[in-house]
Amino acid sequence: MSGFQYGYNTSVIAGALIFVTETFSLSDFQAGTLVAIAMIGLCLASFAGILSNAIGRKPSLILSTICFTVGGLICFLAPNFILLLGGRFLVGLGCGIAIVVAPIYLTEVAPANIRGRILNLNQIGIASGSLIAYLCSYLLEDWRILFGIAIFPALIQGVGLFFIEESCSHDQRSEASWKKLVVPSYRSRFNLVLGLSLFQALTGSAAVFFFAPSVFQSVGFSDSKSSLLATTLVGAIYLLAILFSFWTIDQLGRRFLLFASLLGMALSLFCIFLFPSPIITLIAILFYVAFYSVGMGPIPPLVIGEISPVNVRGHVMSLMGGIGWMTNYFITVSFLPLINTLGTGGTFFIYAVFCIVGFGIFYTFLPETKMKNLDEIDNLFKQK
């Protein structure tokens, strides 16, 4: 449910933005700000891992539910652009807490042989939420209803959280410290955390998922209805690819899926640059989403959780959230100006280059963690 709410609330803006822009006559800067304000909330909520050390994983998820509920209600009722920004900021806080704490919880309760699948349940929730958001945008065409729908899954999760147990004892959480992240023995893992967090964002996923309708309109899908239909296809491919990753991640391994993902994403983005046409752009974006969903989407939070000892896991996931969403913030606020300056192909060319650079880095430094329990993974790094 945390994944579903994150997926719905971050994706619904792609369709709602068209209708909000018409209602409030937004400029490109204002439209970008409305998308990016949730990123600011996400960045600030990167403290959630540290918060979960202090009050527990479960209470932190309850707090995210409150942010989702109140933020969704404000967005639904907002009479002006400023209040709408405030509502989206609260929703961003909820998304930030959920996307940091839910993977921590799942990592701590999952057995080694199916840990990849368990973590991918969160990704399936994200993909399902995104698809529902795109479908609702296509069918409803009312931004107030689109934002208001998000209140219901928040209420469902609020009830459900009372029936789960805490995943980590207070004694284990109380040992957490930032100092343990900078000791020499942790340096190789710390560098991997930085790399996975940065390149998950730098490869352009936020631009594709948040601005898909705008991209399709810019390359020739003339009306909002056709661009939203094309965006719905993006959501469907996202979910199907996540399901493929769900069934294969513990067999094929993290490295194989990550490398295939980065190469496929790069090839898709280069096609947009080389063959600028509506159909090629649509097909290339669908392939980009598919490759992202089997690797660069689910694997960074999974691997970061696996390689981080329990006494720093909350801090590390906070670090991942902060780095990733601060980078995503700059991706979102710069995307429309880049489109206007470099064109669609030129903008996506930049993201393709980051895919290639990321492939080289992770091929060199990323170990395989499939089928290993958390103690075995810890020993793997201690041996280096």
Side-chain angles (χ1 to χ4, degrees):
M1 290 304 299
S2 286
F4 182 90
Q5 291 178 94
Y6 172 87
Y8 184 90
N9 282 291
T10 54
S11 299
V12 74
I13 191 63
L17 185 63
I18 296 174
F19 310 119
V20 174
T21 299
E22 294 174 355
T23 300
F24 295 119
S25 300
L26 303 183
S27 65
D28 282 350
F29 176 78
Q30 288 175 314
T33 301
L34 182 59
V35 176
I37 193 70
M39 301 303 127
I40 296 176
L42 278 156
C43 292
L44 293 178
S46 62
F47 71 88
I50 304 168
L51 177 69
S52 74
N53 287 333
I55 67 175
R57 317 309 194 204
K58 178 178 172 179
S60 299
L61 291 171
I62 292 174
L63 179 60
S64 76
T65 300
I66 294 171
C67 291
F68 281 131
T69 305
V70 176
L73 187 61
I74 292 174
C75 289
F76 176 69
L77 298 174
N80 55 55
F81 178 63
I82 298 300
L83 279 178
L84 184 58
L85 285 176
R88 287 295 295 173
F89 174 76
L90 276 178
V91 167
L93 282 177
C95 288
I97 297 171
I99 205 63
V100 168
V101 179
I104 297 175
Y105 184 95
L106 294 174
T107 299
E108 291 170 346
V109 301
N113 63 322
I114 57 169
R115 189 168 54 246
R117 290 188 185 182
I118 294 296
L119 266 292
N120 254 358
L121 288 174
N122 191 50
Q123 293 294 321
I124 290 172
I126 294 173
S128 300
S130 295
L131 179 57
I132 294 298
Y134 294 146
L135 284 171
C136 289
S137 298
Y138 176 72
L139 295 172
L140 298 176
E141 300 187 14
D142 185 318
W143 62 267
R144 292 188 186 277
I145 296 177
L146 291 174
F147 289 137
I149 287 172
I151 298 170
F152 296 100
L155 295 175
I156 293 171
Q157 184 181 26
V159 174
L161 283 170
F162 287 99
F163 297 95
I164 67 170
E165 300 295 329
E166 182 58 78
S167 65
C168 184
S169 70
H170 179 270
D171 289 341
Q172 290 175 308
R173 300 196 311 269
S174 64
E175 296 176 359
S177 169
W178 282 112
K179 294 180 181 179
K180 295 180 180 180
L181 292 182
V182 295
V183 296
S185 61
Y186 192 78
R187 186 170 300 154
S188 61
R189 284 186 264 194
F190 185 77
N191 291 337
L192 276 175
V193 170
L194 292 178
L196 288 166
S197 303
L198 277 172
F199 280 93
Q200 189 183 44
L202 289 173
T203 49
S205 58
V208 171
F209 285 105
F210 297 160
F211 292 100
S214 301
V215 171
F216 293 137
Q217 284 186 329
S218 72
V219 297
F221 290 84
S222 57
D223 60 273
S224 61
K225 199 73 172 178
S226 62
S227 65
L228 287 174
L229 179 59
T231 306
T232 302
L233 289 176
V234 170
I237 294 296
Y238 184 21
L239 179 57
L240 290 173
I242 285 290
L243 290 173
F244 173 81
S245 179
F246 172 79
W247 290 112
T248 60
I249 194 169
D250 288 314
Q251 286 73 42
L252 297 178
R254 286 51 160 160
R255 280 174 58 91
F256 177 84
L257 288 179
L258 188 68
F259 300 153
S261 173
L262 285 166
L263 289 178
M265 290 162 64
L267 181 60
S268 301
L269 294 172
F270 280 132
C271 284
I272 297 175
F273 174 72
L274 295 172
F275 309 105
S277 73
I279 297 302
I280 294 296
T281 298
L282 172 60
I283 294 173
I285 285 180
L286 292 178
F287 272 101
Y288 171 93
V289 168
F291 282 111
Y292 171 84
S293 302
V294 300
M296 278 306 288
I299 288 175
L302 168 61
V303 171
I304 288 173
E306 288 178 324
I307 67 177
S308 303
V310 65
N311 59 2
V312 296
R313 190 169 294 130
H315 287 68
V316 168
M317 295 303 285
S318 287
L319 184 66
M320 176 191 175
I323 293 172
W325 287 109
M326 183 61 72
T327 308
N328 273 323
Y329 170 78
F330 287 109
I331 293 291
T332 55
V333 297
S334 65
F335 181 71
L336 291 178
L338 280 174
I339 288 287
N340 292 331
T341 303
L342 303 177
T344 302
T347 302
F348 283 126
F349 180 86
I350 296 173
Y351 304 143
V353 171
F354 281 119
C355 291
I356 299 300
V357 174
F359 177 91
I361 292 173
F362 300 132
Y363 186 85
T364 304
F365 297 107
L366 183 69
E368 182 55 72
T369 57
K370 73 172 183 177
M371 297 296 181
K372 292 181 173 63
N373 63 43
L374 299 181
D375 289 333
E376 289 172 334
I377 295 171
D378 194 37
N379 290 332
L380 178 66
F381 283 92
K382 288 180 179 178
Q383 294 168 5
K384 291 188 175 183

